[in-house]
Amino acid sequence: DEDSAMQELRALVMDACTTPTNLNKEKKKYPISFWEQYFILFQRTVHIWCVDSQQAPLIFKMMFGAYTILVFILIGMPMNLSKANAVFYLIVVQFTMSMTPLVIIMPEERAIILREYRNGVFSASAYWLARFSLAICHAAVNALITTFYFYPLAGLPTTPVSKFTRWYLMQLLYLSCVMMLGMTVGMLS
């Protein structure tokens, strides 16, 4: 039964990824439109993300704890060495903080997702779009905090502003990709 559920989930993910180009498939009818499904699922995922102690609260506590440790790493080190160490430390910590909770949480959500999909409540593509939207929102907040907290702390140049902006955009892209990878690995595990 576990293997058949896993195969069905993989088929759902593949179907969600290929539905727009696969025009020969018969479309499933849902009681509400795709965008209504998306907004309902997005509200639900944001609520769960904010309330569940394994998600946002844990991530932000870990993030500020890691940045506090980073302050102590930076104190007393030569500036060039500390910049390289600090950036490496930040990238590793962000990867761990962003991906690990999703790898743990997504298998727990799988039973609910499959049940609602089988009952015809929502489409898999609406669910994935809602989760990816939440991942991008979380990445934007995390990148903003990182940019205003870590960037000046590490002594990275704040002028011209384009370097500051590039750092933010790089963080946003990196964190979005890591979170989407975490969701995918979590769902397929």
Side-chain angles (χ1 to χ4, degrees), residues 61-136:
K61 286 176 191 172
M62 288 171 52
M63 184 174 61
F64 285 114
Y67 292 163
T68 304
I69 292 170
L70 187 60
V71 170
F72 292 109
I73 290 173
L74 290 173
I75 295 174
M77 292 183 81
M79 198 51 163
N80 290 338
L81 180 62
S82 65
K83 280 184 192 178
N85 285 339
V87 170
F88 176 75
Y89 176 77
L90 175 77
I91 297 299
V92 169
V93 166
Q94 283 182 325
F95 182 85
T96 305
M97 286 187 308
S98 297
M99 189 169 171
T100 303
L102 291 171
V103 170
I104 294 169
I105 290 165
M106 296 309 284
E108 293 175 2
E109 285 186 10
R110 183 173 42 222
I112 297 166
I113 295 162
L114 285 174
R115 183 189 68 213
E116 290 179 349
Y117 176 79
R118 288 177 186 154
N119 290 335
V121 177
F122 67 84
S123 68
S125 53
Y127 172 77
W128 279 103
L129 183 61
R131 287 300 292 192
F132 287 158
S133 299
L134 176 63
I136 291 169

Side-chain angles (χ1 to χ4, degrees), residues 139-140 143 166-180:
R166 276 187 267 158
W167 173 268
Y168 173 76
L169 294 175
M170 184 272 305
Q171 286 289 300
L172 177 63
L173 179 64
Y174 171 70
L175 290 170
S176 297
C177 291
V178 166
M179 293 185 75
M180 289 177 195

